[in-house]
C-alpha cells in the first residue's frame, strides 16, 4: 500500500509539472468519510423469515475512501474528469448480548467474560471514477458519474465487548471467504459541491456525496447486498 501511495503521488507530481502550461487541466486529491450499508436483495430462493432476520440484525458502518483525479475544463460551466482511488464500504451487525453458563464441574475460570459482540464486514476496492461537474452558481456545482470498481480484499472483524474496564474490546480480523465476491462492479455517483476557497492555482472544496452499486457484492448468493453509501468529500484541486 505504501508503494502504491508513493507511486500515485509521484505520478501526480510529474503530471502537474507537465500541465503547468495548460490551465484547462486540474489535478485533485480528495478524502471521503462515508456511512455505508448493504441493501439486502433476495432472488426468491431464501426464506422470507431468514431475509427479515438479516435485515433486522444489520446496520451501516463508517468508512473512508480517497481518490486522485485529473479534470479538464470543457467550458466555463462543464468539467470532465477521471481518476484512481481506494474505496471502502460494507456493513455491521447490531450488538448481540452474550450469555455464558458455567459447568460447576468444569468452570471456565474467566472472571471477565465478554458481554456483547458484533461483526463488521469490509469490502476494500480499487475505484476508477469517471465524472462530469456542472457549475450552477458562483461556487456551487453538481457532479454525476460512474465508477468501475475492482474488489481487492474482503475482511470480517469480530468485536467482543467486556464489562470490566468500560470500553474494553477485543477485535479479531480475518479474510472473508463466506461467498464468491464479485470481482468487478459498477457504481453510480452523485454529489453537490461547494468551492470553499479559490485562487489562481488552487481550489479547496466540499461535497455532499452518495453512491450505489449496480450489482450485488456477491456473484452467486441468493441473499445479496447492493452497496450504498452517503457522506462528505473534502478535497483540493491544483
Amino acid at each position: 500500500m505504501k508503494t502504491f501511495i508513493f507511486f500515485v503521488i509521484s505520478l501526480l507530481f510529474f503530471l502537474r509539472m507537465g500541465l503547468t502550461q495548460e490551465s484547462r487541466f486540474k489535478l485533485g486529491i480528495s478524502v471521503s468519510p462515508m456511512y455505508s450499508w448493504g441493501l439486502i436483495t433476495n432472488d426468491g430462493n431464501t426464506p422470507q423469515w431468514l431475509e427479515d432476520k438479516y435485515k433486522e440484525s444489520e446496520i451501516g458502518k463508517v468508512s473512508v475512501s480517497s481518490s486522485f483525479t485529473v479534470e479538464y475544463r470543457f467550458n466555463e460551466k462543464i468539467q470532465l474528469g477521471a481518476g484512481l482511488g481506494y474505496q471502502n464500504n460494507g456493513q455491521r451487525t447490531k450488538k448481540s448480548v452474550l450469555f455464558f453458563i458455567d459447568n460447576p464441574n468444569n468452570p471456565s475460570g474467566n472472571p471477565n467474560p465478554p458481554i456483547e459482540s458484533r461483526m463488521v464486514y469490509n469490502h476494500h476496492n480499487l475505484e476508477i471514477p469517471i465524472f462530469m461537474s456542472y457549475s450552477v452558481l458562483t461556487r456551487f456545482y453538481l457532479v454525476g458519474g460512474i465508477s468501475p470498481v475492482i474488489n481487492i480484499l474482503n475482511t470480517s472483524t469480530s468485536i467482543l465487548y467486556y464489562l470490566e474496564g468500560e470500553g474494553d474490546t477485543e477485535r479479531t480480523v480475518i479474510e472473508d471467504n463466506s461467498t464468491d465476491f464479485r470481482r468487478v462492479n459498477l457504481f453510480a455517483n452523485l454529489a453537490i459541491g461547494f468551492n470553499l476557497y479559490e485562487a489562481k492555482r488552487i481550489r479547496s472544496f466540499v461535497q455532499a456525496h452518495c453512491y450505489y452499486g449496480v450489482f450485488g457484492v456477491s456473484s452467486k448468493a441468493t441473499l445479496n447486498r447492493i452497496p450504498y453509501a452517503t457522506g462528505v468529500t473534502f478535497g483540493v484541486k491544483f
Side-chain angles (χ1 to χ4, degrees), residues 162-230:
Y162 292 86
L163 180 61
E164 184 175 314
E166 185 175 353
D168 285 353
T169 60
E170 179 184 344
R171 293 171 177 262
T172 303
V173 182
I174 63 171
E175 185 173 355
D176 189 353
N177 296 309
S178 60
T179 187
D180 293 320
F181 287 101
R182 191 181 302 276
R183 182 66 173 173
V184 179
N185 206 337
L186 188 65
F187 283 68
N189 298 276
L190 295 172
I192 300 175
F194 178 76
N195 292 319
L196 296 170
Y197 171 80
E198 292 184 82
K200 185 177 180 180
R201 293 186 177 275
I202 192 169
R203 176 188 302 169
S204 62
F205 64 90
V206 60
Q207 295 176 177
H209 179 202
C210 68
Y211 67 74
Y212 63 91
V214 176
F215 306 104
V217 297
S218 174
S219 61
K220 296 180 180 180
T222 60
L223 200 64
N224 215 330
R225 291 165 183 78
I226 303 292
Y228 280 77
T230 183

Side-chain angles (χ1 to χ4, degrees), residues 55-59 92-96 117-119:
K55 286 182 176 179
E56 173 62 26
S57 65
E58 292 185 354
I59 56 176
R92 58 180 175 159
T93 62
K94 296 178 181 178
K95 287 184 179 180
S96 299
S117 69
R118 80 163 9 133
M119 296 295 297

Side-chain angles (χ1 to χ4, degrees), residues 31-39 55-65 87-95 118-123 187-190 207-213 226-234:
V31 176
S32 303
M34 307 289 285
Y35 185 79
S36 66
W37 67 96
L39 178 65
K55 286 182 176 179
E56 173 62 26
S57 65
E58 292 185 354
I59 56 176
K61 76 173 194 72
V62 175
S63 58
V64 178
S65 300
Q87 181 199 82
N88 173 268
N89 57 56
Q91 70 280 342
R92 58 180 175 159
T93 62
K94 296 178 181 178
K95 287 184 179 180
R118 80 163 9 133
M119 296 295 297
V120 181
Y121 302 97
N122 279 286
H123 310 301
F187 283 68
N189 298 276
L190 295 172
Q207 295 176 177
H209 179 202
C210 68
Y211 67 74
Y212 63 91
I226 303 292
Y228 280 77
T230 183
V232 181
T233 297
F234 302 94

Side-chain angles (χ1 to χ4, degrees), residues 62-83:
V62 175
S63 58
V64 178
S65 300
S66 62
S67 64
F68 304 90
T69 59
V70 179
E71 194 171 295
Y72 175 78
R73 180 169 58 83
F74 188 74
N75 56 39
E76 291 300 321
K77 287 188 173 292
I78 298 176
Q79 294 82 40
L80 305 175

